[in-house]
Amino acid sequence: MSDRLRWFLPHHPDVLGLLRAQADVTTRGMTAFARWSATGDAADARAVRDAEHEGDDLRHELLQALSTALTTPIEQEDAYALSERIDEVLDRAKDTVRVADAFQWRPDEHTAAMGASVEEATRHLNDAVGCLSGKGEHPGDHAELMIKAARTVEHGLLAAFAALPRDGTSWDRTAALEVY
């Protein structure tokens, strides 16, 4: 291709690649979150925070790419919204870890179950993002599995609320409610 055509033709950033990278980092962060949800290990909490920062960097890179792209394989608004929602997953996980740390609260069997469900949902989200190229599987199948896994968190939350000790201190109950 001549230099003249290269100058004329717009740069096509890899929007889907950036979304996949953000989903991969989110999955890695949520795997650490699931481990933290079971053990409360400080290294896993740090891995969640690190993944959240890396995810923010990738989101920023995607937003820059969207601002320079003339065309994208999916609607720019859809890429923006998907990236925003993927970012929200890690933001909430990081917030949960921070709140637990502030309350000096240790995860329990309820957080372990909910963490595992969130990790499973995130894996399905990652699989759905991987299908956005339109070649192969339909992302909707993975999205349905993601929703199903996410709904188990609601059931876990209700079980956790029901299991809160009635004779514990109000501090213990408040801490558990904030983390759940």
Side-chain angles (χ1 to χ4, degrees):
M1 184 182 303
S2 75
D3 287 340
R4 188 176 206 180
L5 283 178
R6 263 193 216 115
W7 174 83
F8 176 73
L9 293 175
H11 171 68
H12 293 286
D14 186 6
V15 170
L16 292 181
L18 290 168
L19 281 170
R20 282 191 299 272
Q22 187 182 6
D24 286 343
V25 167
T26 301
T27 300
R28 189 175 69 235
M30 294 313 291
T31 297
F33 180 75
R35 287 191 312 264
W36 173 86
S37 296
T39 66
D41 186 68
D44 291 325
R46 198 168 29 262
V48 170
R49 288 190 296 272
D50 291 346
E52 193 274 336
H53 294 301
E54 188 178 348
D56 283 347
D57 291 343
L58 287 165
R59 176 164 165 68
H60 179 72
E61 189 176 341
L62 174 74
L63 296 180
Q64 290 296 327
L66 289 174
S67 70
T68 63
L70 183 59
T71 62
T72 56
I74 62 174
E75 294 291 328
Q76 287 191 2
E77 296 88 5
D78 293 340
Y80 178 89
L82 181 57
S83 176
E84 182 177 52
R85 288 182 177 101
I86 291 170
D87 182 60
E88 187 74 17
V89 172
L90 272 177
D91 287 349
R92 294 292 169 234
K94 182 181 87 171
D95 291 347
T96 300
V97 169
R98 281 187 170 171
V99 167
D101 188 47
F103 277 105
Q104 297 178 342
W105 187 86
R106 300 281 301 164
D108 58 21
E109 68 274 5
H110 300 292
T111 54
M114 289 185 281
S117 294
V118 170
E119 179 189 19
E120 179 186 351
T122 306
R123 289 188 185 283
H124 292 303
L125 169 67
N126 195 355
D127 292 341
V129 170
C131 294
L132 288 176
S133 66
K135 302 172 186 169
E137 294 180 85
H138 189 274
D141 298 336
H142 296 289
E144 288 297 323
L145 293 171
M146 177 192 66
I147 291 167
K148 184 177 178 182
R151 284 191 179 136
T152 64
V153 176
E154 294 174 28
H155 299 294
L157 184 60
L158 293 174
F161 286 163
L164 282 173
R166 304 291 187 246
D167 59 351
T169 68
S170 60
W171 178 262
D172 293 338
R173 285 192 302 276
T174 300
L177 285 170
E178 282 297 315
V179 174
Y180 291 154

